[in-house]
Amino acid sequence: MKNKTLLAIILLLAVSTTMTGMDISGKTQQKPSAYTNDDIWAAYEGFNQTLLDPVKYIYKTNSSDKSAKDRFNGAAAIWCQPTYWDMVMNAYKLAKAQNDKQKTAYYKELCDKIYAGNKAQYAHFDFDDNNENTGWFIYDDIMWWTITLARAYELFGVEDYLRFSEESFSRVWYGSKKVGDTGSYDKVNGGMFWQWQPIRNPKPNQPNDGKMACINFPVVVAALTLYNNVPKRRKESAEEAPKYQTKAQYLAKGKEIYEWGVENLLDKKTGKVADSRHGKGTPAWKAHIYNQATFIGASVLLYKATGKKSYLNNAILAADYSVREMSAEHNLLPFEKGIEQGIYTAIFAQYMAMLVYDCGQTQYLPFLKHNIEVGWANRDKTRNVCGGEYWKVLPDGADIDSYSASGIPALMLLFPADK
């Protein structure tokens, strides 16, 4: 309790300092206005109007793209599209919570359209299709979809969502007879490999191949989300690679990979999550906010499933590192320039909401809402679109990628003004 209170005081002081301090020009910064629930819908509709392809119902890479034709011509990355689907599901849940029947119906229809658009775009969710343009070629690309499909089943109860989620989990864990890979799971040394290589006629992964945080902790999130949703009476399959597993199997797999990740990818003193580890080599201690996020999510889900306090403690440790260290420069979430990295805040929002609301860790709310207020104040007001560097004004009409633009609306949908 003392640590929680201390962190809340630190966060409030940091936010207060940012609001009233001096900017780089020496001018006093003005406290940004608090956002409203109307702002949330304006931000999300601005994002969709600017970056959602209204014909294909998948998201474009940039606002200047005329359409989302394919992964090399206009379409945002295959692994980021499920995060955008998460956002519309969050919009649906928020509209429903606000008892707005019109918005609820509208976003339910949009959920359906975005699912159908992505299914058409990406090999009809045939996870054994490794076509370089429309199919699957990296394990974590598949696993992000596994997670969101499981969430969609939890929300809507559509059997296809659960079926595709389980089939994709199995494909990553065990490999594909059609593709010829042996799967992401390392039976000998534990953990999950990031990729199969080459795309066609792949060779088995070797002990020194990369095991990235971006596959290991999403596997835990997926396993626990499926654990929460598969039928209770399903019998354990005797097959080596069962497509449909029991609750106990999913929980066991989630625990195993989490334990490997804690031993190999977590600084247990600071809460910093390493990007990767190759064999027995030193972990690559480059922290990314989305890896912090999935570790937080994995920890929260295991805590909720087992009641074991150490999982919650790990989630708090990683969240504290994200806020105190990674966000120290501007007292705002960090932004990484590079292909697709702008999506990191939207992923962080998803798992911080679980920590805050499901686990009662409300000490992070002032920091999260401060990010929203600053980012929204610096938006392009002609389109209601935000950039990824929240401390900078996005000029009117500037080209903006969907990854960077997703962060503020994603945060808003999960942290509404009145909650």
Side-chain angles (χ1 to χ4, degrees):
M1 182 59 70
K2 289 182 180 179
N3 289 339
K4 180 175 177 179
T5 303
L6 179 60
L7 176 60
I9 292 171
I10 291 170
L11 292 175
L12 285 168
L13 287 172
V15 169
S16 176
T17 300
T18 300
M19 289 178 177
T20 60
M22 306 292 283
D23 67 14
I24 58 174
S25 67
K27 295 179 180 179
T28 302
Q29 294 178 339
Q30 298 297 316
K31 179 179 177 180
S33 300
Y35 61 100
T36 66
N37 284 336
D38 286 340
D39 291 332
I40 295 171
W41 300 118
Y44 187 49
E45 281 308 301
F47 175 72
N48 285 337
Q49 289 292 325
T50 305
L51 291 154
L52 177 63
D53 185 324
V55 176
K56 297 175 74 69
Y57 282 97
I58 62 172
Y59 284 85
K60 300 181 292 183
T61 297
N62 293 299
S63 56
S64 59
D65 293 325
K66 293 182 179 179
S67 68
K69 186 176 180 181
D70 57 49
R71 68 164 35 120
F72 300 115
N73 187 10
I78 191 172
W79 74 274
C80 297
Q81 299 285 352
T83 294
Y84 301 144
W85 193 25
D86 280 328
M87 288 172 66
V88 72
M89 285 191 278
N90 292 334
Y92 166 83
K93 288 190 282 188
L94 180 59
K96 193 172 182 180
Q98 293 176 347
N99 200 28
D100 188 325
K101 294 182 179 178
Q102 185 176 0
K103 279 192 175 72
T104 301
Y106 172 78
Y107 288 115
K108 173 59 171 68
E109 183 179 3
L110 188 56
C111 284
D112 296 341
K113 288 179 177 179
I114 288 175
Y115 167 73
N118 278 277
K119 184 179 180 184
Q121 181 81 0
Y122 299 118
H124 298 278
F125 293 131
D126 175 1
F127 297 100
D128 293 319
D129 187 324
N130 62 337
N131 182 293
E132 292 183 52
N133 191 46
T134 58
W136 313 87
F137 61 94
I138 298 176
Y139 290 124
D140 81 288
D141 282 5
I142 298 175
M143 194 54 60
W144 294 101
W145 273 104
T146 306
I147 294 167
T148 299
L149 284 160
R151 285 196 191 116
Y153 174 75
E154 186 171 53
L155 184 60
F156 298 121
V158 176
E159 289 297 327
D160 274 355
Y161 297 165
L162 180 60
R163 176 170 63 85
F164 284 132
S165 181
E166 292 201 83
E167 288 178 358
S168 60
F169 186 93
S170 177
R171 189 262 173 272
V172 169
W173 190 277
Y174 297 105
S176 165
K177 292 180 181 178
K178 179 180 177 181
V179 176
D181 65 298
T182 53
S184 175
Y185 175 59
D186 185 345
K187 299 177 183 178
V188 178
N189 297 305
M192 309 295 291
F193 291 111
W194 178 57
Q195 64 182 353
W196 68 88
Q197 284 290 346
I199 294 175
R200 290 179 177 78
N201 302 314
K203 299 176 182 179
N205 272 291
Q206 299 301 307
N208 286 329
D209 288 339
K211 295 175 181 175
M212 280 59 175
C214 68
I215 179 61
N216 279 275
F217 296 119
V219 163
V220 181
V221 172
L224 268 292
T225 308
L226 287 167
Y227 162 79
N228 289 331
N229 285 285
V230 297
K232 292 182 180 180
R233 297 183 179 179
R234 180 181 290 174
K235 294 182 179 180
E236 185 168 343
S237 172
E239 296 178 18
E240 181 182 351
K243 283 187 176 180
Y244 309 111
Q245 302 180 49
T246 65
K247 293 174 75 69
Q249 286 174 307
Y250 282 123
L251 181 59
K253 284 177 167 57
K255 285 181 175 180
E256 178 187 345
I257 300 306
Y258 182 86
E259 289 168 5
W260 183 91
V262 166
E263 292 304 315
N264 289 274
L265 297 171
L266 177 69
D267 184 327
K268 298 175 186 177
K269 293 182 179 179
T270 67
K272 182 178 184 178
V273 177
D275 178 69
S276 59
R277 189 172 190 184
H278 290 69
K280 300 296 183 181
T282 301
W285 288 112
K286 170 63 175 175
H288 300 286
I289 207 71
Y290 81 139
N291 289 333
Q292 299 292 130
T294 54
F295 177 74
I296 291 166
S299 301
V300 167
L301 286 164
L302 280 166
Y303 169 67
K304 292 176 67 178
T306 66
K308 191 175 178 180
K309 191 69 180 293
S310 60
Y311 292 130
L312 178 58
N313 291 340
N314 280 346
I316 293 170
L317 188 68
D320 287 353
Y321 184 83
S322 303
V323 173
R324 290 174 177 169
E325 302 298 329
M326 297 181 71
S327 305
E329 182 178 3
H330 300 284
N331 291 318
L332 295 166
L333 286 165
F335 177 78
E336 295 187 44
K337 293 182 179 179
I339 298 172
E340 303 161 15
Q341 293 176 339
I343 197 78
Y344 291 176
T345 291
I347 295 169
F348 187 74
Q350 192 75 36
Y351 297 106
M352 283 302 289
M354 293 165 55
L355 180 60
V356 169
Y357 295 122
D358 294 356
C359 301
Q361 301 301 310
T362 56
Q363 67 268 30
Y364 302 106
L365 277 174
F367 171 77
L368 294 164
K369 291 196 170 190
H370 178 58
N371 276 266
I372 295 170
E373 290 166 357
V374 173
W376 181 239
N378 287 327
R379 71 190 181 279
D380 170 356
K381 294 180 174 63
T382 64
R383 297 176 294 174
N384 284 328
V385 177
C386 302
E389 296 174 279
Y390 304 146
W391 54 94
K392 293 183 180 180
V393 174
L394 181 67
D396 292 352
D399 193 23
I400 182 69
D401 60 85
S402 58
Y403 317 116
S404 302
S406 67
I408 293 302
L411 282 164
M412 282 178 149
L413 291 166
L414 288 162
F415 301 96
D418 56 358
K419 187 177 179 183

